C-alpha cells in the first residue's frame, strides 16, 4: 500500500478536485431523484419551472461527470506512468546480485502483469468514485425524506456489507495465491520462448514440459481465478438481491406497520432502484481493485532499492577522471553465493590483485571457478562481502561505486544489444568512427546506423556480440572487460580479436581484462591469471609453448601507494 500512497500523494490536488467533481455529480443525481419523485408524488407541479430545474440538474450532472472522468483519466495515466518509471528506476538502482536472486521472470512479471493490474484498477477508479458519490447523494436524500426509514435502510446495508465482506476475504487470499502462480507461469513461458529449439528437437522433452510444467501451472492459475471470480459473483449478486429485498419489505411490509406517506414511499422506491446500478459498479470494481492491491504487494516484495539519499554537506569521495586512471588495487576481496544444484555456498577469495593502466590481463580457469563473479566484483556490479577495492588510492564503497563503474566497458557472456547506441553522440566525427568500427568488425554489409539507431539486431549470436563490442568501443572507457567474448566467433575473427583488436586497445592506453579459454593466444597477454575454486593461483598454468612474462599474483607495474 505504500506504493499506492506514494502515487496518490503526488497527485493529491488532482484527487481533491476530482472528489469535489464526483460529489457534485452525486448531488446533481440526488437532485434529479428528488425532482422526479416529487413530480410523481404530486409534491411538485409539472410546470416550466420544474422542467428548467430538471434540465439544470441534468446538465450539471453531465458536466460534472465529464470533467470528473477527464480529470481521473489523466490521474490514472499519470499514476501508471509514475509507477512504470519509478519501478524502472528502482530496478536500475537495485544491486545486480539482488536482481539475480529475484530472477528475471519475477522482474518481468512486475513490469508487465503487475503494472497492468494496477493500471486496470486505476482505470476503473473513476467509475467507483462516481458510484460512491451518487450513493452518498442518494443517501442524503433518503435521510431528508425519513430518518427512521433511512436508519432501517442503513442497518440493512450494514448487514449486506458484512455478508459481502466475510467471503470476499477468502477471494483476496486466492488472488495472492494466483499471483504467486503467475510468477511460475512467467518462468515457464520464458522457458518456452528461450528453449524453443530444444523443445522442437525432442518430443519427450516437449511433452514433459507441457504436461509437467506449463499446463499444470496454467491449470492451477485458472482454478484459483475461477474460484475467486465465483466468490465475487455470488457476493455481488447477493448484495444486489438484498436491495430488492429491502425494496419489497418497504413496499409490502412497511405500510402495514407504519404510517408512511406516499411521497416518502415513492422517493425511497425510486432512489433504491436508481442506486442499484452504482452499487453494482462498486461490487464489480472491488475484485479488480483487489488484484491491483495484490500486484502492488508483489512489487513491494521484490525489495527493490531506491537511490540512497546523500547527506547534505557530506562530499562524495573523489575519483580520478577516466584519462587519469593509473592503478586498480584489490585486497582481501571475498564474495560468496549459492551455485545451482549445490547445498553449500561457493566462496570466491580472498583475492589480492593489482592491475595497471595499459595492461592486457587474461583470466583463465575452469567452469565454475568464479571468473565471471570476479569480473563483476572488479567492475562494481557486485559489492564485496569483505576486502577493499581502490582506484588510484581511493577506496570504493556504496557512496562512489556507481561513479567507479563508469570507468568500465564490458561485454559479458549474457550480453544484450540495444536497438540504438544509447548515450553516444551522433556528430559526424562519431559517425565516422562507427563506420570504421563496423568495417573492422566485418559488419558494414549487415548493419547501418542512422541517427544513432541500428538498422537491425536480427543477426547471428557472434555478430550481435560484435555489435556489443562496437558499443563498448564507442564508450571509450579506461577499462575493458570481455567475458568469453571470442567463444562464439569463427577462427578468422577470433584471430582478429586477439591479435589486432586487443593490442590496439592496449596501445591506446586501455586496460583490458579478458576471460578466455583460448590458450593458443595467451602469449598476447601481459599477464595470465588462473582462478581455481575461487582462489587466484600464484603461478598461472599455461602451455609450455607460450612465451610470455608471467608475474606472480598481486604484482603489477602499478606504482606503490604513498605511505600514511
Amino acid at each position: 500500500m505504500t506504493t499506492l500512497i506514494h502515487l496518490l500523494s503526488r497527485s493529491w490536488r488532482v484527487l481533491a478536485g476530482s472528489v469535489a467533481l464526483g460529489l457534485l455529480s452525486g448531488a446533481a443525481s440526488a437532485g434529479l431523484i428528488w425532482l422526479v419523485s416529487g413530480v410523481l408524488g404530486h409534491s411538485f407541479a409539472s410546470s416550466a419551472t420544474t422542467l428548467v430545474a430538471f434540465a439544470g440538474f441534468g446538465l450539471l450532472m453531465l458536466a460534472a461527470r465529464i470533467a470528473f472522468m477527464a480529470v481521473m483519466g489523466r490521474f490514472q495515466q499519470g499514476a501508471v506512468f509514475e509507477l512504470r518509471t519509478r519501478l524502472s528506476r528502482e530496478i536500475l538502482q537495485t544491486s545486480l546480485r539482488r536482481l539475480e536472486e529475484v530472477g528475471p521472470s519475477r522482474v518481468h512479471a512486475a513490469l508487465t502483469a503487475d503494472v497492468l493490474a494496477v493500471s486496470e484498477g486505476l482505470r476503473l477508479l473513476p467509475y467507483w468514485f462516481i458510484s460512491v458519490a451518487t450513493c452518498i447523494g442518494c443517501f442524503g436524500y433518503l435521510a431528508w425524506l425519513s430518518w427512521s426509514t433511512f436508519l432501517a435502510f442503513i442497518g440493512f446495508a450494514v448487514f449486506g456489507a458484512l455478508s459481502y465482506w466475510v467471503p470476499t476475504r477468502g477471494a483476496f487470499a486466492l488472488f495472492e495465491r494466483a499471483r504467486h502462480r503467475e510468477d511460475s507461469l512467467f518462468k515457464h513461458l520464458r522457458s518456452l520462448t528461450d528453449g524453443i529449439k530444444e523443445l522442437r528437437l525432442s518430443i519427450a522433452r516437449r511433452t514433459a514440459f507441457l504436461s509437467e510444467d506449463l499446463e499444470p501451472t496454467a491449470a492451477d492459475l485458472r482454478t484459483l481465478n475461477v474460484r475467486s471470480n465465483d466468490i465475487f459473483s455470488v457476493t455481488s449478486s447477493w448484495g444486489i438481491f438484498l436491495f430488492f429485498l429491502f425494496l419489497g419489505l418497504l413496499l409490502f411490509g412497511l405500510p402495514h406497520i407504519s404510517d408512511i406517506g406516499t411521497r416518502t414511499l415513492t422517493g425511497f422506491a425510486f432512489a433504491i432502484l436508481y442506486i442499484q446500478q452504482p452499487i453494482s459498479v462498486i461490487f464489480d470494481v472491488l475484485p479488480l481493485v483487489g488484484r491491483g492491491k495484490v500486484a502492488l504487494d508483489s512489487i513491494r516484495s521484490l525489495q527493490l532499492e531506491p537511490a540512497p539519499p546523500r547527506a547534505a554537506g557530506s562530499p562524495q569521495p573523489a575519483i580520478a577522471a577516466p584519462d587519469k586512471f593509473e592503478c586498480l588495487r584489490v585486497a582481501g576481496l571475498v564474495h560468496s553465493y549459492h551455485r545451482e544444484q549445490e547445498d553449500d555456498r561457493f566462496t570466491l577469495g580472498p583475492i589480492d590483485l593489482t592491475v595497471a593502466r595499459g595492461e592486457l590481463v587474461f583470466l583463465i580457469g575452469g567452469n565454475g571457478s568464479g571468473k565471471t563473479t570476479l569480473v563483476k566484483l572488479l567492475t562494481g556490479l557486485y559489492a564485496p562481502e569483505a576486502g577493499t577495492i581502490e582506484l588510484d588510492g581511493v577506496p570504493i564503497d556504496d557512496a562512489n561505486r556507481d561513479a567507479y563503474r563508469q570507468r568500465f566497458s564490458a561485454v559479458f557472456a549474457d550480453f544484450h544489444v540495444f536497438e540504438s547506441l544509447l548515450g553516444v553522440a551522433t556528430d559526424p566525427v562519431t559517425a565516422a568512427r562507427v563506420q570504421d568500427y563496423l568495417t573492422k568488425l566485418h559488419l558494414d554489409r549487415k548493419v547501418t546506423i542512422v541517427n544513432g539507431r541500428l538498422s537491425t539486431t536480427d543477426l547471428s549470436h557472434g555478430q550481435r556480440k560484435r555489435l556489443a563490442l562496437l558499443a563498448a568501443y564507442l564508450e571509450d572507457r579506461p577499462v575493458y572487460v570481455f567475458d568469453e567474448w571470442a567463444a562464439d566467433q569463427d577462427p578468422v575473427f577470433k584471430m582478429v580479436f586477439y591479435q589486432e583488436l586487443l593490442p590496439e586497445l592496449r596501445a591506446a592506453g586501455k586496460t583490458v581484462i579478458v576471460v578466455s579459454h583460448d590458450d593458443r593466444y595467451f602469449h598476447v597477454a601481459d599477464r595470465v591469471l588462473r582462478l581455481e575454486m575461487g582462489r587466484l593461483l600464484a603461478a598461472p598454468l599455461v602451455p609450455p609453448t607460450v612465451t610470455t612474462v608471467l608475474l606472480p599474483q598481486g604484482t603489477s607495474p602499478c606504482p606503490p601507494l604513498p605511505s600514511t
Side-chain angles (χ1 to χ4, degrees), residues 105-124:
S105 298
R106 283 194 62 193
V107 174
H108 186 259
L111 286 169
T112 53
D114 288 339
V115 170
L116 288 176
V118 176
S119 173
E120 185 66 12
L122 291 175
R123 184 184 69 83
L124 295 173

Side-chain angles (χ1 to χ4, degrees), residues 20 39 41 69 87 94 108 115 122 128 175 191 227 232 289 297 300 329 338 368-369 406 414 416 431 497 553 555-556:
V39 172
M69 296 294 290
L87 184 57
T94 300
H108 186 259
V115 170
L122 291 175
W128 191 85
F175 283 160
S191 297
R227 288 173 59 189
F232 276 108
V289 173
D297 292 340
R300 185 177 59 180
R329 293 180 182 271
H338 282 288
S369 59
Q406 309 316 303
D414 54 348
H416 177 78
F497 173 71
Q553 175 191 359
T555 63
S556 165

Side-chain angles (χ1 to χ4, degrees), residues 367-408:
N367 293 333
S369 59
K371 302 185 299 299
T372 298
T373 300
L374 177 57
V375 296
K376 287 179 179 178
L377 287 164
L378 292 176
T379 55
L381 292 174
Y382 283 175
E385 296 175 4
T388 59
I389 300 177
E390 294 183 356
L391 185 68
D392 287 344
V394 178
I396 305 303
D397 54 23
D398 290 340
N400 59 12
R401 185 169 286 110
D402 190 48
Y404 166 77
R405 284 194 289 260
Q406 309 316 303
R407 272 65 183 168
F408 295 85

Side-chain angles (χ1 to χ4, degrees), residues 209-518:
F209 172 74
L210 290 173
S211 61
E212 298 175 13
D213 291 339
L214 182 60
E215 291 179 354
T217 303
D220 288 345
L221 184 60
R222 177 193 60 189
T223 300
L224 292 171
N225 285 329
V226 167
R227 288 173 59 189
S228 60
N229 288 334
D230 286 345
I231 292 175
F232 276 108
S233 297
V234 171
T235 52
S236 62
S237 300
W238 168 251
I240 299 302
F241 169 76
L242 287 179
F243 274 88
F244 283 100
L245 177 61
F246 182 81
L247 180 61
L249 294 175
L250 180 69
L251 294 176
F252 304 108
L254 188 60
H256 297 288
I257 60 176
S258 175
D259 186 16
I260 185 172
T262 303
R263 177 168 174 263
T264 301
L265 189 64
T266 303
F268 265 87
F270 191 79
I272 290 174
L273 289 174
Y274 185 84
I275 64 175
Q276 183 269 335
Q277 183 180 8
I279 291 294
S280 178
V281 170
I282 293 174
F283 288 154
D284 292 341
V285 168
L286 280 178
L288 297 174
V289 173
R291 287 191 173 94
K293 177 185 178 301
V294 171
L296 286 172
D297 292 340
S298 179
I299 292 174
R300 185 177 59 180
S301 70
L302 296 178
Q303 298 178 358
L304 301 178
E305 301 170 6
R310 189 185 304 172
S314 60
Q316 183 175 359
I319 293 182
D323 57 345
K324 299 297 183 182
F325 161 73
E326 293 294 337
C327 186
L328 171 64
R329 293 180 182 271
V330 172
L333 202 66
V334 175
H335 186 77
S336 62
Y337 55 92
H338 282 288
R339 294 194 295 188
E340 293 182 2
Q341 299 179 348
E342 293 188 13
D343 296 331
D344 298 333
R345 292 180 68 85
F346 176 81
T347 300
L348 173 71
I351 301 292
D352 297 308
L353 177 65
T354 57
V355 180
R357 179 172 63 88
E359 272 197 287
L360 177 53
V361 179
F362 278 24
L363 182 61
I364 67 175
N367 293 333
S369 59
K371 302 185 299 299
T372 298
T373 300
L374 177 57
V375 296
K376 287 179 179 178
L377 287 164
L378 292 176
T379 55
L381 292 174
Y382 283 175
E385 296 175 4
T388 59
I389 300 177
E390 294 183 356
L391 185 68
D392 287 344
V394 178
I396 305 303
D397 54 23
D398 290 340
N400 59 12
R401 185 169 286 110
D402 190 48
Y404 166 77
R405 284 194 289 260
Q406 309 316 303
R407 272 65 183 168
F408 295 85
S409 286
V411 181
F412 290 97
D414 54 348
F415 69 97
H416 177 78
V417 176
F418 293 92
E419 295 182 351
S420 59
L421 299 175
L422 300 174
V424 177
T426 57
D427 55 274
V429 175
T430 304
R433 289 178 58 206
V434 168
Q435 191 59 44
D436 180 60
Y437 286 144
L438 286 174
T439 302
K440 187 176 297 185
L441 296 170
H442 300 179
L443 293 173
D444 52 311
R445 297 184 179 181
K446 295 280 188 179
V447 181
T448 58
I449 298 178
V450 179
N451 296 327
R453 297 195 66 85
L454 304 176
S455 60
T456 182
T457 58
D458 187 16
L459 305 169
S460 69
H461 189 76
Q463 289 170 334
R464 286 190 294 110
K465 207 172 235 187
R466 294 182 212 171
L467 282 180
L469 180 61
L470 167 64
Y473 274 159
L474 294 175
E475 287 181 324
D476 196 22
R477 302 285 180 84
V479 187
Y480 284 83
V481 176
F482 301 113
D483 185 2
E484 299 286 1
W485 186 90
D488 305 300
Q489 306 301 323
D490 58 60
V492 173
F493 203 85
K494 186 175 293 189
M495 182 178 64
V496 171
F497 173 71
Y498 283 110
Q499 295 188 346
E500 295 182 23
L501 302 182
L502 294 183
E504 286 179 7
L505 287 173
R506 177 173 54 187
K510 306 298 184 181
T511 301
V512 187
I513 301 173
V514 181
V515 177
S516 175
H517 286 102
D518 296 321

